[in-house]
Amino acid sequence: MEITSKLKWNTWEEINWRTVELQVFKLQKRIYRASLRGDRKLVRKLQHIMASSYYAKLLATRKVTQENKGKNTAGIDGIKSLKPAQRLELVKNLKLDGKSQPTRRVWIPKPGKKENRPLGIPTIVERVKQCLLKLALEPEWEAIFEPNSYGFRPGRSCHDAIAAIFSNINKKPKFVLDADISKCFDCINHSALLRKINTFPKFSRQIKAWLKSGVIDFSKWAQRKGYNPTNEGTPQGGVISPLLANIALHGLEQHIDNNFPSDKKGRWTGSLKIYKKQFQAPRLIRYADDFVILCEELEPIIKCKELVEDWLKQIGLELKPSKTRISHTLDKFNDEQAGLNFLGFEIRQFKVGKHHSGLTTSKKPLGYKTIIRPSKENVKAHYEKLNQWCDKMKAVNAAALIKQLNPIIRGWCNYQSPWHSKRTFSKIKNLMWSRLWRWAKRRHPKKSRKWITKKYFGGSKQWTFVSKIGEERLELLSHADFLAGVIWIKVQGVRTPYDGDEVYWSKRIGGNYLTIDPQKSRLLKTQKGKCAYCGLSFKPEDQIEKHHISSRSKGGNNADKNLLLVHLHCHDKIHSSKADVTN
């Protein structure tokens, strides 16, 4: 198949993105299948075609300049965005030349902490080159990656990692090694990483150029202002950095499995000889640089910690002692509280039954239930963020406050909605009501409670915080209104969008368990998982927008019959061309 077409579009708006995506995805599926078969020669040939493909260059440019949330962040050249004509010019001149400009170092606060962590922001050109290389490299590694690796991979999420932990402990309590790798992105050994990638010279030279490009830092946190060389680590903030980190950590799960071989049912073959009973082999579940190891007995967990430390030394990494702990999911162990905190959730088991009598006889099985809920630190950080915005916006009107708080509430609740969040949502709702009452009282110290209630509270439900200015009416989202307790269905085994199973991925994207927004789930089901504009099936990594058939300025509303789901870039194209989309 020859994907490098002579077809050229004169303007950015004329580009047929359906053709572009179909051609690129078709080639990615071929790379994936060749890698799955172990045909390295064909993989290299197809990757070379991808790197020089006109369609792939168009898609990489669109992803970086239109869809990326950090698209308006400038690198060292100060360029924040590109006009359509400049994008076409970039596509024309784009090539993997084995060179790289330095990244711009910026510092962002760590969530819930006073520390700051560094980000390396490449220029737009370097980001597009990284995206192009990722289009070629990712399908190869998706065929190789281990099944319990969930971080920064297409079609996988934090909730899949939580579901994997739940399925490992819901039948029997276990000891757990909860570990975090210290400065993972900053300390990866370059030579070890390049050996593991083991790609052909053109790609290797380009990746090495990005790793060795250095950073320019003039911030107040800089230890040395100006240019600093990078002798280790991958630049956080780059498009390809998460993929490189996953490649560096690939093999850790297999290393544990090799030292604790298991039978077809997952039972450790050596457990019967040592413990006179059989139990499941230790299981590692990883999300990026955070991972947990679960096992019924303590000794294998301690052994796994030693194995992990030895394995990490090979790539220049080590465990972070302050974030590495051994605990038990049900009982207190060595002054460590039961359970674990992982990815913003508290995962813990509680004894059940009359007077917790599940342990009274040997014949009676252990009575317990597994509860997964937002962690206390996560809840505190979320409320503090809302509280800080209320303080910052003392002098603004209610409408401006609602517009600032609603995206924060929606994003946090959508992330926390699966599992057992109902009680937490109700608690934060009450805290927010008290905080907003204080906000309103401060604005009107001489008004009565009845007057304040009439002005700021009411809405579709009693005591909802609202803004009423003429015909405009805004309501603050309530935490308690979000769907809570929907158990997440984990992605199957080694499934990946590159396997070409459109039926599975369309059902997964359209199911309530993946798209937490109920309205979006209904629309996906109606549209059979396809974009209403271009007709392509939505992929897990796609950004999906709701398009109003009749705009709000013309009396349109948010009812299902007035909405269609489209890609983000399709939505931009609709509004730029005034296209008519009705089905």
Side-chain angles (χ1 to χ4, degrees):
M1 180 191 69
E2 182 62 38
I3 197 170
T4 53
S5 172
K6 294 181 179 180
L7 177 63
K8 304 288 183 181
W9 286 280
N10 294 323
T11 64
W12 190 260
E13 290 74 18
E14 293 177 2
I15 297 173
N16 186 339
W17 290 113
R18 177 184 175 87
T19 301
V20 170
E21 291 200 31
L22 282 173
Q23 292 292 342
V24 173
F25 188 59
K26 189 175 181 180
L27 186 53
Q28 286 181 315
K29 287 192 293 184
R30 291 187 65 192
I31 294 172
Y32 170 81
R33 289 167 183 167
S35 178
L36 206 60
R37 296 193 303 268
D39 190 346
R40 294 180 63 83
K41 186 177 179 180
L42 181 57
V43 168
R44 300 293 176 255
K45 179 181 177 181
L46 295 173
Q47 286 176 335
H48 181 76
I49 294 174
M50 180 72 82
S52 58
S53 164
Y54 176 61
Y55 291 128
K57 292 176 182 179
L58 282 172
L59 186 59
T61 303
R62 190 196 77 193
K63 285 179 175 291
V64 171
T65 60
Q66 280 188 277
E67 298 178 3
N68 186 17
K69 292 182 179 179
K71 61 186 177 185
N72 292 325
T73 307
I76 61 168
D77 57 2
I79 299 175
K80 291 185 177 181
S81 60
L82 297 178
K83 295 179 180 179
Q86 292 174 316
R87 294 172 193 160
L88 282 177
E89 187 65 24
L90 174 58
V91 171
K92 181 180 177 182
N93 299 322
L94 188 65
K95 63 178 181 178
L96 301 177
D97 53 7
K99 301 176 182 178
S100 176
Q101 294 177 294
T103 59
R104 182 172 70 93
R105 173 65 56 83
V106 297
W107 297 79
I108 61 172
K110 288 186 176 181
K113 297 182 180 180
K114 295 181 179 179
E115 303 177 52
N116 292 289
R117 65 185 181 93
L119 283 183
I121 309 299
T123 62
I124 289 179
V125 175
E126 296 303 331
R127 273 180 270 173
V128 175
K129 287 163 62 177
Q130 289 184 16
C131 189
L132 177 61
L133 184 56
K134 185 180 178 183
L135 289 175
L137 210 58
E138 190 172 60
E140 175 195 357
W141 281 92
E142 278 296 310
I144 301 171
F145 280 145
E146 295 155 328
N148 283 314
S149 166
Y150 298 98
F152 305 116
R153 292 180 59 190
R156 295 174 176 242
S157 69
C158 301
H159 296 296
D160 289 314
I162 299 296
I165 294 174
F166 178 80
S167 64
N168 269 273
I169 66 174
N170 66 339
K171 297 293 189 297
K172 187 171 289 188
K174 294 183 178 180
F175 286 94
V176 54
L177 170 65
D178 183 7
D180 186 15
I181 300 172
S182 178
K183 299 181 179 179
C184 177
F185 284 88
D186 299 330
C187 297
I188 293 175
N189 183 280
H190 289 173
S191 299
L193 175 60
L194 290 169
R195 284 196 302 271
K196 184 173 282 191
I197 295 174
N198 190 27
T199 186
F200 56 89
K202 182 179 178 179
F203 281 14
S204 292
R205 285 194 297 269
Q206 187 61 70
I207 294 171
K208 186 176 181 179
W210 288 325
L211 294 175
K212 301 291 186 181
S213 63
V215 298
I216 293 179
D217 190 355
F218 286 100
S219 65
K220 63 181 180 180
W221 293 281
Q223 295 179 353
R224 176 185 169 190
K225 293 187 181 296
Y227 177 80
N228 293 283
T230 49
N231 299 317
E232 59 183 7
T234 61
Q236 294 185 61
V239 177
I240 203 171
S241 298
L243 176 61
L244 296 181
N246 271 333
I247 293 173
L249 295 173
H250 171 69
L252 181 57
E253 182 181 346
Q254 188 61 49
H255 182 60
I256 298 296
D257 292 345
N258 290 341
N259 283 272
F260 293 92
S262 57
D263 58 19
K264 293 181 179 180
K265 294 184 178 180
R267 295 174 299 191
W268 178 27
T269 54
S271 60
L272 191 61
K273 299 177 182 177
I274 301 173
Y275 295 93
K276 308 304 179 184
K277 64 176 182 179
Q278 284 190 318
F279 55 81
Q280 296 291 307
R283 285 287 172 261
L284 182 143
I285 297 164
R286 181 174 66 84
Y287 187 91
D289 59 338
D290 293 333
F291 65 89
V292 296
I293 300 178
L294 304 160
C295 188
E296 296 173 34
E297 298 293 334
L298 177 60
E299 287 76 10
I301 289 289
I302 296 174
K303 177 64 176 177
C304 284
K305 183 180 178 183
E306 297 173 359
L307 292 171
V308 169
E309 289 174 336
D310 292 339
W311 189 89
L312 289 176
K313 287 179 183 178
Q314 302 172 17
I315 53 174
L317 299 176
E318 61 182 6
L319 295 179
K320 192 171 186 177
S322 61
K323 289 190 175 182
T324 301
R325 60 191 286 265
I326 296 177
S327 61
H328 193 266
T329 57
L330 180 64
D331 300 314
K332 192 173 180 179
F333 173 74
N334 281 353
D335 296 327
E336 292 281 357
Q337 291 295 325
L340 70 148
N341 289 344
F342 193 66
L343 302 177
F345 291 93
E346 180 190 68
I347 306 169
R348 188 176 173 183
Q349 293 171 322
F350 296 87
K351 297 174 184 177
V352 296
K354 189 175 181 180
H355 308 303
H356 308 311
S357 57
L359 296 171
T360 52
T361 64
S362 58
K363 293 183 179 180
K364 189 172 183 180
L366 176 66
Y368 68 92
K369 58 182 177 182
T370 304
I371 299 295
I372 301 175
R373 58 193 177 189
S375 66
K376 294 178 182 178
E377 294 81 4
N378 197 304
V379 172
K380 182 179 178 182
H382 174 62
Y383 177 71
E384 282 298 322
K385 187 174 183 179
L386 297 174
N387 186 35
Q388 287 171 8
W389 276 111
C390 289
D391 282 337
K392 288 179 182 178
M393 307 187 78
K394 294 174 184 175
V396 303
N397 58 28
L401 181 63
I402 290 172
K403 289 177 181 178
Q404 180 62 49
L405 296 183
N406 271 352
I408 300 172
I409 295 172
R410 184 186 294 109
W412 189 82
C413 289
N414 280 343
Y415 179 75
Q416 299 289 352
S417 285
W419 317 108
H420 310 92
S421 309
K422 187 174 182 179
R423 186 175 294 180
T424 302
F425 285 178
S426 180
K427 178 182 177 181
I428 301 181
K429 172 198 169 185
N430 295 333
L431 289 172
M432 278 305 297
W433 184 91
S434 300
R435 183 64 188 87
L436 292 167
W437 181 266
R438 294 198 305 274
W439 180 89
K441 283 289 290 180
R442 184 188 178 281
R443 285 181 60 85
H444 309 283
K446 296 182 180 181
K447 296 294 184 179
S448 66
R449 293 185 177 183
K450 186 175 180 180
W451 187 93
I452 293 174
T453 301
K454 185 176 180 181
K455 182 172 178 62
Y456 290 111
F457 296 91
S460 58
K461 291 186 179 181
Q462 191 178 14
W463 296 110
T464 300
F465 187 74
V466 297
S467 169
K468 310 168 189 174
I469 303 176
E471 296 183 358
E472 185 182 15
R473 184 185 185 88
L474 292 173
E475 293 188 7
L476 184 73
L477 295 174
S478 172
H479 291 76
D481 290 340
F482 282 83
L483 188 66
V486 179
I487 301 300
W488 188 273
I489 299 178
K490 188 178 77 68
V491 64
Q492 292 179 1
V494 292
R495 285 278 194 173
T496 173
Y498 300 119
D499 60 18
D501 190 345
E502 293 187 6
V503 174
Y504 172 80
W505 289 105
S506 294
K507 287 182 178 180
R508 181 166 173 79
I509 293 171
N512 288 327
Y513 52 88
L514 185 58
T515 304
I516 301 170
D517 183 345
Q519 185 180 50
K520 191 173 284 188
S521 293
R522 294 194 300 270
L523 293 171
L524 279 168
K525 187 175 181 180
T526 302
Q527 297 176 202
K528 298 181 180 179
K530 295 183 178 180
C531 174
Y533 183 74
C534 68
L536 287 176
S537 296
F538 290 114
K539 299 174 188 174
E541 68 271 19
D542 286 341
Q543 295 188 42
I544 304 174
E545 293 287 320
K546 296 177 183 177
H547 171 67
H548 291 78
I549 299 172
S550 178
S551 65
R552 295 179 184 179
S553 61
K554 296 181 180 179
N557 55 24
N558 290 325
D560 287 9
K561 62 182 180 181
N562 190 47
L563 292 174
L564 293 171
L565 295 182
V566 295
H567 292 103
L568 175 63
H569 60 274
C570 290
H571 201 217
D572 292 341
K573 197 168 184 177
I574 291 167
H575 286 285
S576 64
S577 62
K578 306 295 183 183
D580 180 28
V581 182
T582 57
N583 51 59

